[in-house]
Amino acid sequence: MLDLLRKGWPVTLEMTGTLPAPPAVAWELITDWEHLGEWMLEASDFCVTSEQREGVGVEAEATIAIGAFRSRDRVRVSRWEKERCVAIEHLGWVRGLGEMFLTPADEGATFLLWREKLWPPLGGIGAVGLALMKPVMHGIFRRDVRVLIALARARSAA
């Protein structure tokens, strides 16, 4: 246990939702880097920093604000299966992996599974802090999914 406190352990969050839009529309919404802040409300000022804009290797930065914590974080795409899965490595003060899986659903909808596995900074102190923040982050990310659903509905209707 002491070793886990020194190194920190990952916090895993999982969110799901059914987007009322086909996978192509859902894919566009989750990979339109500069507009992610339209549904990922805790993030702003997205900027692609790599020349590449699609596929494995894309790098971007964003400002993240959760509670009283605010940081400028970098991410890199580590998996890219168009209209099926995108995974990003978190390379900021919190390390981890974010994955979004899209599955076609009934009537032109798309099922979304969003998983975040985060390793805290600062060993045990960070692990305790991240564990205490888990319910807050889960609520924020569930809200993000609701906003994404609304955007998908509007985009699909247009």
Side-chain angles (χ1 to χ4, degrees):
M1 179 67 168
L2 186 55
D3 191 44
L4 283 175
L5 285 174
R6 270 194 225 109
K7 291 181 183 175
W9 57 83
V11 167
T12 301
L13 300 158
E14 224 174 72
M15 293 66 58
T16 61
T18 301
L19 308 180
V25 171
W27 182 257
E28 185 179 313
L29 287 168
I30 68 172
T31 61
D32 183 2
W33 308 116
E34 283 86 4
H35 294 100
L36 292 180
E38 292 177 8
W39 63 269
M40 202 177 282
L41 302 182
E42 71 283 356
S44 62
D45 305 319
F46 282 91
C47 176
V48 174
T49 58
S50 61
E51 287 186 32
Q52 179 180 347
R53 296 195 54 81
E54 287 189 358
V56 172
V58 171
E59 292 194 10
E61 290 183 352
T63 300
I64 308 298
I66 295 181
F69 301 101
R70 183 180 199 81
S71 67
R72 185 83 179 150
D73 288 337
R74 189 168 58 95
V75 297
R76 179 184 312 120
V77 174
S78 60
R79 182 174 173 187
W80 182 277
E81 296 174 36
K82 191 168 184 172
E83 298 181 18
R84 293 184 56 211
C85 174
V86 63
I88 58 133
E89 297 174 49
H90 296 283
L91 304 170
W93 66 280
V94 171
R95 302 287 179 156
L97 180 68
E99 301 171 295
M100 291 190 166
F101 299 93
L102 301 176
T103 306
D106 293 338
E107 299 179 25
T110 304
F111 180 76
L112 167 73
L113 168 61
W114 176 12
R115 183 180 305 128
E116 293 283 345
K117 191 170 190 177
L118 305 170
W119 280 267
L122 308 174
I125 294 170
V128 170
L130 195 56
L132 291 172
M133 287 294 294
K134 182 178 178 176
V136 172
M137 290 187 309
H138 197 242
I140 288 169
F141 296 159
R142 283 193 320 253
R143 176 214 54 208
D144 290 346
V145 171
R146 289 191 304 271
V147 174
L148 182 58
I149 289 168
L151 277 175
R153 181 176 292 114
R155 181 84 52 100
S156 201

